[in-house]
């Protein structure tokens, strides 16, 4: 019997039923849970499309597509470039100081640079002053321990290549201001260390910065300089029996730079430090961070075009971040007084920027972007000793200080400084002394002719021109330049510590 042919309508009906059947089977299969099923919370799932600040990210069941992979790696390299700038700043800063000092003629392991006619704006340093004689030297321990003989009556630290505190010298050091021989020994040194005659200190890095101030008594700068030259020496321990001559370089008035870069060259400075130091000189997390952007000991730092472009962008954002942290801090602990613009550049009272188990990351950035040298003595000032600092970058209304405008600030009397007080003005760009026609870039209470007010307070004027009648109490600023200032109290007295005394804000003068 021949099979009966199906008509068109019957064939279509059969196909439709078949299709529905397949669809029902597929749907039923898709909706059937596996025998071994988890109760998966939505919080652990990744949607197929996610909108983020770096664009739309796309996934197939949690698997990122090629475009998403490219975006996230660009972002990862960018963010690590920023982190390397912020975390690597202390190392780059020490490198820049030692590079600048070397170019000024004070060679590593051979001599000291010294401001024999004090500091002025021609030399680029982070927030120096023009009232004390600065003495600085860099040592490299790669070939063994170094001896640094310190003269009496000085004050300062020795810091390692990551600006970590090693020891104080002078008044707050073990020599107690009497002077003495400091033996700086690398941690990996296997030789014999003398049992007596030295203040022995170990350090994690080969590179170390010796940085101290010689105080000027009764305005006699020459005597302070002579005191350093008579007693300060630097030489290898291996040459202690017959030390080579120590070289002293007068850096006053010299044009040289000791401030780290804020462009791509920053990473090259950081790489130079990593290459020069032992592999374990830095904490593993830090070593890993630097390596993640191509800075790795024993390997050339040679980013390709893509990575270089990312790092150029990252250092620009990193620099902006540091400037925001310094000049527009969101940390309430930076404010010294609740009703004043004055702030501290040293938050937390720890030279390691530690608050119990917490590393104060922004505090570390703020300090090292603004200052040079670190020591616990900065946080351990006692009434009548050491020095106290306060920073101002804004006027009483909260606006940044403008070099084209005139301001006045009043210090209530008596100013709580056993020795003297000073203002120094700094360039908003370099954080070094503001370039003006005044050599000191500031004013201090030892200067002749400063006029106090009738009530014992002192008003100081800041502006491009001296207000009539206030010439002796005037500090010059420059039109078109942003600036900030540090007030220093040498030998601060109890009213500073209990905050019963506080300087006025900068008031804009019409």
């Amino acid at each position: 019997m021949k099979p009966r042919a199906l008509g068109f309508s019957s064939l279509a009906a059969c196909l439709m039923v078949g299709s529905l059947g397949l669809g029902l089977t597929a749907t039923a299969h898709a909706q059937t849970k596996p025998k071994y099923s988890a109760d998966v919370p939505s919080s652990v799932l990744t949607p197929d499309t996610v909108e983020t600040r770096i664009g739309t990210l796309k996934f197939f069941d949690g698997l990122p597509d090629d475009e998403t992979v490219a975006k996230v790696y660009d972002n990862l390299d960018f963010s690590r470039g920023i982190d390397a700038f912020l975390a690597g700043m202390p190392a780059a800063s020490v490198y820049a100081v030692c590079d600048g000092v070397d170019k000024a003629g004070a060679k590593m392991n051979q001599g000291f640079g010294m401001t024999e006619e004090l500091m002025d704006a021609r030399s680029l340093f982070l927030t120096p002053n023009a009232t004390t004689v600065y003495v600085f030297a860099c040592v490299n321990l790669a070939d063994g321990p170094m001896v640094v003989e310190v003269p009496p009556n000085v004050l300062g630290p020795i810091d390692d290549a990551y600006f970590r505190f090693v020891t104080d010298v002078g008044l707050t050091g073990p020599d107690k201001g009497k002077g003495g021989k400091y033996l700086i020994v690398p941690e990996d040194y296997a030789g014999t260390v003398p049992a007596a005659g030295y203040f022995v200190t170990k350090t994690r890095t080969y590179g170390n910065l010796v940085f101290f101030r010689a105080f000027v008594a009764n305005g006699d700068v020459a005597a302070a300089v002579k005191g350093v030259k008579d007693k300060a020496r630097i030489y290898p321990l291996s040459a202690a029996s017959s030390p080579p001559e120590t070289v002293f370089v007068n850096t006053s008035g010299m044009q040289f730079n000791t401030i780290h870069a804020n462009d791509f060259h920053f990473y090259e400075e950081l790489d130079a430090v990593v290459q020069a130091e032992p592999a374990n000189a830095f904490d593993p997390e830090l070593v890993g961070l630097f390596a993640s952007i191509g800075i790795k000991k024993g390997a050339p730092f040679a980013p390709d075009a893509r990575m270089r472009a990312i790092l150029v962008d990252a250092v620009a954002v990193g620099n902006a971040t540091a400037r925001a942290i310094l000049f527009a801090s969101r940390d309430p602990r930076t404010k010294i007084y609740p009703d004043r613009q004055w702030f501290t550049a040293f938050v937390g009272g720890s030279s390691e920027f530690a608050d119990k188990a917490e590393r104060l990351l922004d505090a570390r950035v703020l300090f090292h972007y603004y200052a040079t040298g670190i020591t616990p003595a900065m946080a351990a000032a006692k009434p009548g000793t050491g020095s106290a600092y306060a920073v101002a970058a804004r006027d009483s209304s909260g606006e940044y200080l403008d070099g084209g405008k005139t301001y006045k600030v009043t210090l209530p009397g008596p100013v709580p400084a056993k020795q003297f007080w000073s203002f120094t003005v700094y360039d908003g760009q370099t954080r070094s002394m503001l370039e003006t026609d005044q050599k000191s870039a500031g004013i201090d209470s030892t200067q002749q002719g400063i006029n106090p007010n009738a009530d014992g307070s002192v008003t100081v004027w800041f502006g491009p021109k001296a207000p009539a009648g206030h010439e002796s109490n005037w500090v010059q600023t420059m039109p078109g330049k942003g600036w900030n200032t540090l007030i220093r109290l040498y030998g601060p007295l109890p009213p500073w510590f209990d905050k019963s005394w506080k300087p006025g804000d900068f008031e804009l003068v019409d």
Side-chain angles (χ1 to χ4, degrees):
M1 181 177 178
K2 294 178 66 176
R4 186 177 58 171
L6 291 174
F8 175 78
S9 58
S10 299
L11 178 61
C14 290
L15 291 173
M16 184 177 295
V17 171
S19 297
L20 286 172
L22 288 172
L24 288 171
T25 302
T27 301
H29 178 75
Q31 291 177 345
T32 300
K33 285 189 175 183
K35 183 177 180 180
Y36 302 101
S37 297
D39 183 11
V40 182
S42 61
S43 60
V44 307
L45 299 176
T46 300
D48 290 345
T49 302
V50 183
E51 298 297 333
T52 74
R53 66 192 304 160
I54 64 172
T56 302
L57 307 181
K58 297 179 180 180
F59 305 84
F60 168 68
D61 202 25
L63 307 176
D65 67 10
D66 291 346
E67 186 177 352
T68 295
V69 168
K71 285 179 180 178
V72 296
Y73 277 132
D74 282 352
N75 185 64
L76 183 61
D77 291 340
F78 173 66
S79 63
R80 284 178 173 167
I82 295 173
D83 288 345
F85 177 84
L86 298 177
M89 189 186 302
S93 189
V94 175
Y95 174 86
V97 172
C98 290
D99 184 59
V101 169
D102 178 82
K103 289 176 179 175
K107 300 300 181 181
M108 190 170 289
N109 293 354
Q110 297 179 22
F112 295 92
M114 181 162 49
T115 57
E116 296 185 23
E117 286 92 38
L118 303 181
M119 185 78 75
D120 64 58
R122 288 171 289 188
S123 303
L124 293 174
F125 279 83
L126 291 175
T127 55
N129 66 59
T131 57
T132 57
V133 174
Y134 284 103
V135 185
F136 30 84
C138 292
V139 298
N140 188 328
L141 310 177
D143 294 327
M146 291 292 298
V147 178
V148 177
E149 295 188 18
V150 174
N153 196 35
V154 300
L155 176 68
I158 298 176
D159 293 322
D160 78 2
Y162 190 60
F163 251 134
R164 291 172 298 209
F165 173 73
V166 176
T167 187
D168 276 325
V169 301
L171 297 171
T172 56
D175 70 279
K176 305 300 183 184
K178 298 177 181 179
K181 297 179 180 181
Y182 284 78
L183 180 60
I184 312 173
V185 182
E187 285 189 344
D188 62 359
Y189 180 65
T192 301
V193 175
Y198 299 91
F199 299 110
V200 180
T201 185
K202 288 194 172 184
T203 173
R204 292 175 64 179
T205 62
Y206 294 150
N208 289 264
L209 172 63
V210 182
F211 194 84
F212 59 82
R213 292 176 291 177
F215 291 100
V216 177
N218 302 315
D220 194 345
V221 175
V225 171
K226 183 177 185 300
V228 173
K229 289 186 174 181
D230 284 349
K231 297 291 186 178
R233 298 290 183 269
I234 185 170
Y235 49 86
L237 175 64
S238 59
S241 61
S242 181
E245 181 180 355
T246 295
V247 176
F248 294 92
V249 177
N250 179 11
T251 64
S252 293
M254 293 180 65
Q255 291 179 316
F256 65 103
N257 174 49
T258 69
I259 301 171
H260 67 76
N262 289 323
D263 60 9
F264 180 82
H265 182 53
F266 173 91
Y267 299 113
E268 295 172 326
E269 294 173 333
L270 185 57
D271 178 65
V273 178
V274 170
Q275 302 307 327
E277 295 299 335
N280 63 348
F282 309 108
D283 295 336
E285 288 286 334
L286 206 56
V287 174
L289 173 62
F290 299 158
S292 74
I293 63 168
I295 297 175
K296 190 170 184 176
K297 186 171 180 63
F301 175 54
D304 59 20
R306 169 194 164 274
M307 190 65 181
R308 186 182 182 94
I310 287 174
L311 291 179
V312 167
D313 199 18
V315 75
V317 175
N319 177 56
T321 303
R323 289 181 175 274
I325 290 171
L326 170 58
F327 294 120
S329 175
R330 62 183 181 180
D331 186 343
R333 292 171 294 185
T334 61
K335 293 205 74 170
I336 299 176
Y337 314 100
D339 60 343
R340 295 287 193 276
Q341 297 293 336
W342 294 96
F343 68 91
T344 178
F346 192 57
V347 175
S350 165
S351 62
E352 297 179 346
F353 306 98
D355 182 6
K356 298 179 181 177
E358 176 190 358
R359 182 80 67 201
L360 303 176
L361 300 178
D362 287 0
R364 184 174 64 187
V365 169
L366 190 159
F367 181 87
H368 285 296
Y369 198 74
Y370 194 60
T372 297
I374 189 72
T375 164
M378 290 179 169
K382 298 177 181 179
T385 65
S387 51
Y389 308 83
V391 189
R394 299 173 185 266
D395 66 19
S396 58
S397 67
E399 298 296 321
Y400 285 126
L401 298 170
D402 183 337
K405 298 177 180 179
T406 299
Y407 305 86
K408 64 178 181 179
V409 63
T410 298
L411 305 180
V415 179
K418 182 179 179 180
Q419 298 172 343
F420 65 98
W421 56 262
S422 72
F423 281 106
T424 308
V425 290
Y426 299 108
D427 187 309
Q429 283 278 9
T430 64
R431 295 89 70 210
S432 187
M433 293 169 72
L434 186 68
E435 299 170 54
T436 69
D437 297 322
Q438 291 181 322
K439 181 181 178 182
S440 65
I443 194 171
D444 70 74
S445 58
T446 67
Q447 294 176 209
Q448 297 294 320
I450 293 180
N451 294 318
N453 300 318
D455 63 359
S457 65
V458 179
T459 299
V460 181
W461 303 72
F462 295 75
K465 294 182 179 180
H470 300 291
E471 291 82 0
S472 61
N473 289 34
W474 166 66
V475 178
Q476 186 180 18
T477 60
M478 301 298 287
K481 291 295 299 179
W483 60 277
N484 58 87
T485 186
L486 267 173
I487 183 172
R488 291 174 168 91
L489 305 181
Y490 291 92
L493 298 174
W496 164 262
F497 293 94
D498 63 24
K499 299 185 181 180
S500 59
W501 179 91
K502 52 187 174 184
D505 271 334
F506 280 81
E507 300 175 19
L508 181 62
V509 178
D510 293 331

